[in-house]
């Protein structure tokens, strides 16, 4: 399903598999396998593809029929996990519109990215369980349950769990970005 969406958007943009692969810094074989749903790309690979296609990351999973009111059931949320850092995100917003809401989970010692990264959005994060470090422009902000942090995502950032307990949090991103 994701692969077909990537192929559809790539062809709409007039890109070949080789052009997308080169711009994303991955192999043509990987793009080909992803488009045929033969492999599940990592979160980092999906971010690279979304950036080249100039789309918000989660729009690669977007449902086409935008409704006036959307109910997202807890047991049917779209889930994205990264094999590096251990972070998982589930989308709690419908996947269309100008606001994206995600529930994040980091295991002990986990992180959202090996190195801070940026994208053209604004974010607000709320810790619902555990302790989270939000690193923005090299400055670390320690958050506990109920604490929140707002920042421009154009600043290099990442999330870290430096504790021995898992952490759960909610992120609002506007506009949705890669």
């Amino acid at each position: 399903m994701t692969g077909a969406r990537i192929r559809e958007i790539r062809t709409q943009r007039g890109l070949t598999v080789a052009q997308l692969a080169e711009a994303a810094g991955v192999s043509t074989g990987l793009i080909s396998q992803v488009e045929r749903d033969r492999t599940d790309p990592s979160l980092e690979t999906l971010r690279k593809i979304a950036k080249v296609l100039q789309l918000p990351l989660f729009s690669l999973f977007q449902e086409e029929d935008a409704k006036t009111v959307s109910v997202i059931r807890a047991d049917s949320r779209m889930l994205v996990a990264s094999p590096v850092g251990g972070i998982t995100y589930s989308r709690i917003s419908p996947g269309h519109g100008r606001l994206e809401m995600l529930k994040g989970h980091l295991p002990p010692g986990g992180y959202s990215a090996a190195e801070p990264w940026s994208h053209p959005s604004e974010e607000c994060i709320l810790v619902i369980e555990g302790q989270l470090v939000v690193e923005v422009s090299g400055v670390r902000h320690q958050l506990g349950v109920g604490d929140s942090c707002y920042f421009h995502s154009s600043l290099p950032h990442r999330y870290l769990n430096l504790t021995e307990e898992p952490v759960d949090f909610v992120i609002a991103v506007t506009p949705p970005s890669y």
Side-chain angles (χ1 to χ4, degrees):
M1 181 160 131
T2 305
R5 178 113 170 104
I6 290 170
R7 181 175 43 251
E8 174 188 349
I9 296 166
R10 174 185 58 77
T11 55
Q12 286 174 354
R13 301 278 197 275
L15 294 171
T16 66
V17 170
Q19 289 169 325
L20 176 58
E22 182 179 347
V26 299
S27 71
T28 55
L30 177 59
I31 296 294
S32 179
Q33 289 181 343
V34 167
E35 286 189 354
R36 292 181 289 138
D37 290 316
R38 301 267 170 123
T39 189
D40 290 324
S42 71
L43 182 58
E44 293 304 314
T45 298
L46 286 172
R47 282 181 177 153
K48 290 175 182 178
I49 291 170
K51 188 171 185 176
V52 171
L53 297 175
Q54 298 178 325
L55 292 171
L57 170 66
F58 280 84
S59 74
L60 296 177
F61 309 97
Q62 185 170 332
E63 298 166 18
E64 292 303 315
D65 60 338
K67 298 177 181 144
T68 304
V69 175
S70 298
V71 175
I72 296 84
R73 302 286 178 206
D75 63 350
S76 61
R77 291 182 188 157
M78 195 271 295
L79 181 70
V80 174
S82 176
V84 178
I87 195 162
T88 57
Y89 292 109
S90 61
R91 186 172 61 204
I92 57 179
S93 58
H96 55 78
R98 296 177 304 214
L99 175 68
E100 183 166 73
M101 299 275 306
L102 306 170
K103 181 176 184 276
H105 176 83
L106 271 175
Y111 52 86
S112 62
E115 295 295 325
W117 69 291
S118 62
H119 51 98
S121 297
E122 297 173 45
E123 292 184 34
C124 187
I125 185 165
L126 171 69
V127 176
I128 54 177
E129 185 176 327
Q131 300 273 322
L132 182 69
V133 173
V134 177
E135 183 180 313
V136 181
S137 296
V139 177
R140 291 184 172 187
H141 307 273
Q142 180 75 39
L143 304 180
V145 174
D147 293 341
S148 62
C149 180
Y150 166 87
F151 58 93
H152 287 271
S153 308
S154 59
L155 300 170
H157 63 281
R158 65 181 176 159
Y159 309 126
L160 307 160
N161 181 356
L162 303 177
T163 73
E164 298 297 319
E165 300 295 324
V167 63
D168 291 311
F169 51 94
V170 173
I171 305 170
V173 182
T174 187
S177 184
Y178 39 82

